[in-house]
Amino acid sequence: MRFQFFRVVVVGLASLALGACGGGGGGHSTPLTAASITIVSGNNQTGVAGSELATALGVSVKDSSGRAVAGASVSWIVVAGGGAVAPATSTTDSGGHATTNWTLGGALGANQVTATVAGITPVTFDAMAVAGATASVTVTSPVEKIYEGDTVQLVATARDAAGNVLSGKSATWSSGNPQSF
């Protein structure tokens, strides 16, 4: 009888010890499932058309309990304005964060990128592409041939490095022959 009581006590204590350490599963836990994605950096920037934005785009991925999800794959897709993201896919770190760099399209105006994690609603980043500094000036004439003594109105068109026309720029004309003006 004593032996049987002793066996019950030993088995009971062993069960309690195993239960306290999580069932002896070797410390492995069930991976967290992504339930939300939120923007943490890089939204609503303004940059020169065709250039990389100063601040990287960043998101945070969490599960339904608000815990950071590590190892989630985030796809970055340019949806408006052209341009590119690098990398196009990134993986969340231990804090649930992922980033990418965004180079705006060459045209002036609105640009957009979405960040997507499978199974949840994506988020959209917005940016505005503006003209850069003058990179070139083209001078045109309404006539093909100009002869000495002709009066012609020349037109100067300033463009940025992406080829966008820069309006409102003033031009200063000069010539090696002061009698030309």
Side-chain angles (χ1 to χ4, degrees):
M1 188 72 141
R2 272 185 181 202
F3 179 73
Q4 198 171 18
F5 174 74
F6 180 74
R7 189 194 297 162
V8 169
V9 168
V10 168
V11 169
L13 289 174
S15 296
L16 283 173
L18 286 174
C21 72
H28 299 291
S29 61
T30 304
L32 302 177
T33 302
S36 69
I37 182 171
T38 55
I39 294 172
V40 294
S41 65
N43 196 23
N44 296 318
Q45 295 184 72
T46 298
V48 174
S51 68
E52 186 174 305
L53 291 174
T55 303
L57 307 184
V59 294
S60 174
V61 178
K62 296 188 177 182
D63 72 358
S64 60
S65 297
R67 295 176 294 194
V69 176
S73 179
V74 179
S75 296
W76 305 90
I77 302 165
V78 176
V79 295
V85 289
T89 303
S90 56
T91 303
T92 56
D93 61 17
S94 61
H97 297 102
T99 61
T100 193
N101 295 306
W102 185 8
T103 299
L104 298 174
L108 303 181
N111 285 242
Q112 288 186 324
V113 166
T114 60
T116 305
V117 173
I120 57 178
T121 303
V123 293
T124 302
F125 290 82
D126 294 298
M128 186 60 63
V130 297
T134 302
S136 66
V137 177
T138 305
V139 178
T140 57
S141 168
V143 295
E144 284 188 36
K145 293 184 180 182
I146 303 171
Y147 298 100
E148 187 176 338
D150 286 352
T151 300
V152 178
Q153 183 172 350
L154 301 175
V155 177
T157 305
R159 297 184 184 274
D160 66 9
N164 297 302
V165 174
L166 305 175
S167 60
K169 296 286 185 173
S170 60
T172 303
W173 300 93
S174 63
S175 170
N177 181 355
Q179 295 176 354
S180 297
F181 288 98

